[in-house]
Amino acid sequence: RGARADYERLQEWRFSGPVAVPEGGISFARETASWVLESGEVRLQEPTADGAVTGLVFEGRGRFRMEVPDAAELRQLRRFAGEPELERLEETFDRLVLRTSDPGFVRGLGLIGSAGEAPAVLAAGGSYEPHPLARERHDHWLRLRRHDADARVVFALLDPDEEYLRVDFRTGERGWLTFDFDSRLVEPVRLERFHPAHSFLESWVSLRAGAGPPDPAGSAGSPGSDTLAPAVPRGPAADVEHASIAVELLKLGRDASAGVAWQHRLLGEFRAELDVRVHRAGRRALQLYLHPWAEVKSVADGSGRQLPYLRDHIGERSRGIDKRVYDDSLVVLLAEPPAAGAALELVFDYELEIDNFLPGRRWYPSLEGGDLGLADLHTARIEVTTRESYDVRAMGEQVEESLDGKLQRRAWEIAEPVKMATFTLTQKAREQRIEAPGVPAVVVFGPPVGHDTENRFHDLGVDVAESIHFYHWLLEDPLPDEVLLATLIQAFHGQAFDGFLHLSEWSAFRSGGTGVTRLFVAHEVAHQWWGHRVGWATYRDQWLSEALANYSALMFVEATAEKGSEIFEEALRAYTDEVTGSLKSAFNRFARGGSALDNQRGAKRLGPIGHGYRAAVAEAPGAYFTQSYRKGSLVLHMMRRIMEREAGPQAFVEMLRDFEGAHRGGYPSTADLEAAAARAVPGDWATFFDQWVDGTEIPTYRWSHKAAKSPSADGSYALELTVRQEDVPAGFAMPVPVRIEYAGGESEELTV
């Protein structure tokens, strides 16, 4: 409860009177970044109950310098900053707000005495007052970035393995830049810029922890990227072993009806009981994550003892934010630090308004952040109480069903560990079962979708079954002989779970014709392999899941659909137009409206595939989708063409089988795919991946040909072909296929 009181005190953002920066300035550094406060005034944040000073405000003149030892990150910094020759970031600033979990940090600056007391010049003021600059910056972090620095500081103060530092400073031309060091992350060093015109947070630099801080004066060399290592031992400090979630869906939600079936949203009352295993001793708090619309009522341990928690109600901070919005971080303060290996039971009561489905992992509390692949495997129990007019389907085996008046309760057990669990519910439900030889039974479940619901459900189930059959051949790794549920949701997206699919009502039946529908459905089915059987290591590698699922689905459409080759080529053209910003994509049924124009606006700053969600920029906020799904599929297609040319038509398929088999049940990186390519077809794949995954340049080819007007002595004609490569740096290597078509209908292919 002392930590809760500290949190509430810190959220007042009270600071001391001013302290003049001494002659010679104040210098500090973290990793490859350094700051010098040259002149001006510093104010210190009100200490916690234990005397820890966790923040300061500076106003005056200062200098910032940051080295970027990673080549791909430096290229991206140059794109973001708009300076192609930039070697390091150097800026002056006039405002700075700093937060830290290190009680010795401020003391190391010479602003606090060795015993923790303030210097006389600071103590003379006698009181701490709210500071407008600190309040403005913290309020900005909460409202626009959904980041609670106070909760993060308190959490790190309670954990001996944690370290957190945030330095937010106002530069001249670039506005506010934010440096973060967060030891929870695989890459704890981050530099971000919030783009005010587009209200979008850009991630400019992300690095692993280095060998040590640079000299603030800038004389120290920067560590090479091969020396970068995690700041703390890898592996989770705790994980969820079992989740038991009970929900009552008896009240209508605030929002109006949604979806094709016009089913009203529901307000759910949830109780989630988590069995948590602690792996590192000394923790006095756990940081969990929960959907930002979830209103937490209480947190308790297994004995019913109430536990305090830290979570900001962001929706109360502005009329422009929905009042339901909370920070998605939920820091639970433990009664006592558990021993390593100890089992904890945590009970969460909360309300959450839902459509007819539960997306992803955040609808019940999770211990996983956003930089790693979904690795917190757990078993689960789902219990749903509804009015009798609703029907429900969930993952796992149904173990209970009862009717009490007009209330219906059902329960499912998920016995095998999964990455995430879900359920779907609907009124006036329809269900269709498809049995096909060699594949699991497919059950399509959802609301009626017009007068021809039975046939539509049947056709959808056949698409699912046929794609499973294709992937059995493609990957030689069949699914178990269990039912695969394909459920219809009130949304415009799809999502795959173990043995369970969410499929958009619109996309499954009404978007762009048969080819688009088959591709959409097959993409989600492919995630049974790419995403669940084979995960991804970090956010930089998540494109593997999406691109492999999408390209596998394209191969399915190519092989099985009527005019499949034409549909396949049409989709690739749409992807090419979207990636290059060509407005021709607007006339293609596989295009996403507006994406090409966004990519055109942000072309010079767009990040590469290998930067994951960080590829997005203010002008193109949907660039992650473009790079991972679209460009990722094009990269795989180029790999396929190269492999087929070098080693025959089965080379790419054999590479997919090798990669899937080698990493089944694991979390591969992009480097693992590169290694699989080299095993399949030896060659310079390092250059290929550097150009196409870690780079953003896309070449333009201009070509011409000239045929001799008369034949040579043997009757053949000389053909001269000229190909010019543009828009890429010198040394960019790319095999360009050229097809020659003859008057008689024959053709041949060569490579430039």
Side-chain angles (χ1 to χ4, degrees):
R1 305 220 174 253
R4 173 71 200 185
D6 279 341
Y7 174 68
E8 293 172 352
R9 180 184 298 114
L10 291 176
Q11 282 210 313
E12 295 294 326
W13 307 311
R14 292 195 293 261
F15 286 74
S16 70
V19 179
V21 172
E23 186 176 349
I26 298 173
S27 301
F28 59 93
R30 191 66 175 92
E31 298 300 320
T32 65
S34 63
W35 296 260
V36 179
L37 313 184
E38 295 179 327
S39 62
E41 296 179 340
V42 176
R43 300 168 191 263
L44 301 187
Q45 190 162 16
E46 182 178 19
T48 65
D50 292 337
V53 177
T54 66
L56 63 82
V57 170
F58 165 76
E59 295 174 282
R61 177 178 173 80
R63 290 184 290 109
F64 169 73
R65 176 186 176 112
M66 186 174 187
E67 304 282 351
V68 183
D70 183 89
E73 289 294 318
L74 181 58
R75 291 200 299 264
Q76 183 59 23
L77 176 60
R78 289 169 174 170
R79 285 188 289 266
F80 273 127
E83 297 183 26
E85 304 302 321
L86 187 74
E87 291 298 329
R88 63 188 59 82
L89 194 61
E90 295 183 274
E91 299 287 336
T92 60
F93 58 87
D94 63 354
R95 301 286 187 273
L96 180 147
V97 177
L98 179 148
R99 300 301 310 278
T100 178
S101 65
D102 179 4
F105 184 90
V106 176
R107 184 177 300 118
L109 302 181
L111 296 170
I112 298 179
S114 59
E117 71 277 5
V121 66
L122 181 59
S127 64
Y128 293 87
E129 300 293 337
H131 193 276
L133 177 60
R135 178 175 293 279
E136 185 275 326
R137 296 316 296 163
H138 284 81
D139 189 58
H140 167 84
W141 300 341
L142 286 163
R143 288 187 300 104
L144 298 179
R145 304 194 195 184
R146 308 285 173 87
H147 179 81
D148 189 345
D150 300 295
R152 184 68 190 94
V153 165
V154 171
F155 174 63
L157 287 170
L158 294 172
D159 191 314
D161 292 328
E162 291 288 334
E163 182 181 355
Y164 178 70
L165 172 69
R166 166 164 283 215
V167 186
D168 200 39
F169 51 102
R170 189 177 74 175
T171 67
E173 293 183 1
R174 306 192 198 282
W176 285 91
L177 298 178
T178 304
F179 174 92
D180 259 8
F181 182 90
D182 190 334
S183 62
R184 294 172 309 168
L185 303 177
V186 176
E187 297 167 2
V189 180
R190 297 283 174 97
L191 183 72
E192 300 173 333
R193 177 179 182 257
F194 187 84
H195 199 296
H198 295 271
S199 192
F200 188 83
L201 183 64
E202 296 179 339
S203 178
W204 280 28
V205 177
S206 182
L207 300 168
R208 291 180 180 263
D215 181 344
S219 61
S222 59
S225 59
D226 58 345
T227 69
L228 303 183
V232 296
R234 290 294 296 123
D239 65 56
V240 175
E241 294 185 333
H242 180 78
S244 181
I245 308 113
V247 55
E248 290 187 353
L249 294 165
L250 305 177
K251 302 176 182 177
L252 294 179
R254 190 189 76 180
D255 288 348
S257 303
V260 177
W262 296 102
Q263 179 173 304
H264 204 290
R265 285 179 171 170
L266 298 173
L267 180 63
E269 296 182 355
F270 290 78
R271 166 161 286 194
E273 301 178 11
L274 303 185
D275 294 334
V276 176
R277 182 72 59 184
V278 177
H279 299 305
R280 297 208 294 266
R283 303 181 67 85
R284 291 180 288 164
L286 290 175
Q287 183 161 24
L288 297 102
Y289 302 90
L290 186 61
H291 194 289
W293 279 15
E295 181 181 355
V296 177
K297 302 296 185 180
S298 69
V299 181
D301 62 18
S303 65
R305 177 172 46 180
Q306 294 294 301
L307 299 176
Y309 57 90
L310 314 180
R311 195 178 200 217
D312 192 86
H313 191 175
I314 295 171
E316 287 191 337
R317 295 187 173 276
S318 170
R319 291 182 180 180
I321 302 174
D322 193 307
K323 195 169 184 178
R324 288 171 293 190
V325 175
Y326 289 79
D327 181 18
D328 68 351
S329 169
L330 175 63
V331 176
V332 176
L333 307 176
L334 303 177
E336 57 273 327
L344 297 179
E345 184 179 346
L346 299 175
V347 182
F348 302 83
D349 289 308
Y350 55 97
E351 290 185 347
L352 175 62
E353 187 172 309
I354 70 169
D355 289 302
N356 74 324
F357 67 101
L358 280 305
R361 177 65 179 84
R362 293 291 173 85
W363 65 274
Y364 58 103
S366 167
L367 281 163
E368 290 191 310
D371 63 330
L372 291 173
L374 293 169
D376 191 1
L377 300 177
H378 53 282
T379 56
R381 174 186 169 89
I382 298 175
E383 181 182 302
V384 185
T385 301
T386 63
R387 302 194 184 280
E388 63 176 347
S389 59
Y390 288 88
D391 206 355
V392 184
R393 294 293 180 271
M395 291 173 60
E397 178 184 358
Q398 185 171 332
V399 293
E400 292 182 27
E401 183 172 9
S402 62
L403 187 65
D404 181 8
K406 293 187 176 182
L407 300 184
Q408 188 165 221
R409 185 177 67 85
R410 297 182 179 89
W412 291 261
E413 295 280 357
I414 303 172
E416 293 296 323
V418 295
K419 297 177 178 179
M420 49 189 180
T422 191
F423 67 86
T424 306
L425 77 157
T426 190
Q427 292 176 298
K428 302 177 182 178
R430 301 288 189 271
E431 189 171 87
Q432 184 90 323
R433 184 183 180 98
I434 305 298
E435 302 273 4
V439 299
V442 176
V443 172
V444 180
F445 169 83
V449 287
H451 68 280
D452 201 20
T453 294
E454 184 175 346
N455 287 335
R456 290 183 172 189
F457 275 31
H458 176 271
D459 292 345
L460 178 59
V462 168
D463 281 351
V464 172
E466 288 183 351
S467 62
I468 295 172
H469 186 271
F470 177 79
Y471 299 140
H472 282 183
W473 166 81
L474 180 67
L475 301 172
E476 295 185 336
D477 181 21
L479 296 180
D481 189 19
E482 299 171 355
V483 171
L484 183 103
L485 269 163
T487 67
L488 299 174
I489 62 171
Q490 297 172 179
F492 291 94
H493 72 276
Q495 189 170 20
F497 301 78
D498 281 296
F500 197 101
L501 303 178
H502 285 164
L503 299 176
S504 159
E505 296 170 346
W506 179 264
S507 298
F509 298 117
R510 293 171 168 79
S511 63
T514 303
V516 176
T517 298
R518 282 174 73 84
L519 180 61
F520 165 73
V521 172
H523 175 110
E524 299 306 332
V525 174
H527 278 308
Q528 297 300 307
W529 290 267
W530 307 122
H532 287 284
R533 292 197 172 188
V534 178
W536 61 91
T538 74
Y539 76 93
R540 292 181 185 267
D541 312 297
Q542 191 170 358
W543 77 277
L544 295 173
S545 172
E546 298 300 349
L548 285 165
N550 200 64
Y551 194 73
S552 297
L554 281 169
M555 294 176 73
F556 163 69
V557 171
E558 179 187 32
T560 64
E562 184 179 355
K563 298 183 178 179
S565 296
E566 295 179 15
I567 296 172
F568 179 86
E569 294 294 338
E570 181 186 356
L572 292 183
R573 285 196 301 273
Y575 296 174
T576 301
D577 289 339
E578 181 176 325
V579 168
T580 58
S582 170
L583 298 185
K584 289 188 294 184
S585 67
F587 304 99
N588 190 301
R589 56 182 170 156
F590 289 96
R592 291 184 308 134
S595 297
L597 186 58
D598 285 347
N599 295 332
Q600 192 180 76
R601 293 190 188 105
K604 293 182 179 179
R605 303 175 67 240
L606 212 64
I609 293 173
H611 284 186
Y613 72 90
R614 296 176 49 236
V617 296
E619 303 93 326
Y624 165 72
F625 185 97
T626 295
Q627 299 296 74
S628 295
Y629 291 68
R630 308 305 212 194
K631 189 177 179 183
S633 295
L634 293 169
V635 167
L636 292 173
H637 184 60
M638 289 190 288
M639 292 175 65
R640 178 183 175 187
R641 292 296 304 271
I642 293 170
M643 289 180 173
E644 289 177 348
R645 187 193 70 228
E646 296 291 330
Q650 279 294 104
F652 182 74
V653 171
E654 293 298 333
M655 188 275 292
L656 290 181
R657 291 171 180 170
D658 172 44
F659 181 72
E660 196 271 348
H663 299 287
R664 194 174 302 150
Y667 300 87
S669 68
T670 300
D672 292 317
L673 180 65
E674 182 183 327
R679 287 194 299 271
V681 178
D684 186 11
W685 290 105
T687 296
F688 180 91
F689 275 76
D690 182 64
Q691 291 177 170
W692 292 106
V693 178
D694 290 326
T696 59
E697 293 85 2
I698 298 175
T700 298
Y701 293 102
R702 304 189 186 281
W703 65 280
S704 61
H705 71 280
K706 182 172 64 175
K709 295 182 178 180
S710 57
S712 60
D714 63 359
S716 62
Y717 285 78
L719 176 66
E720 181 180 308
L721 173 69
T722 302
V723 180
R724 187 169 72 248
Q725 180 175 263
E726 299 176 347
D727 302 327
V728 290
F732 192 98
M734 188 64 191
V736 180
V738 178
R739 187 173 67 250
I740 304 172
E741 298 178 349
Y742 298 101
E746 296 179 353
S747 66
E748 63 177 294
E749 189 171 289
L750 54 85
T751 301
V752 176

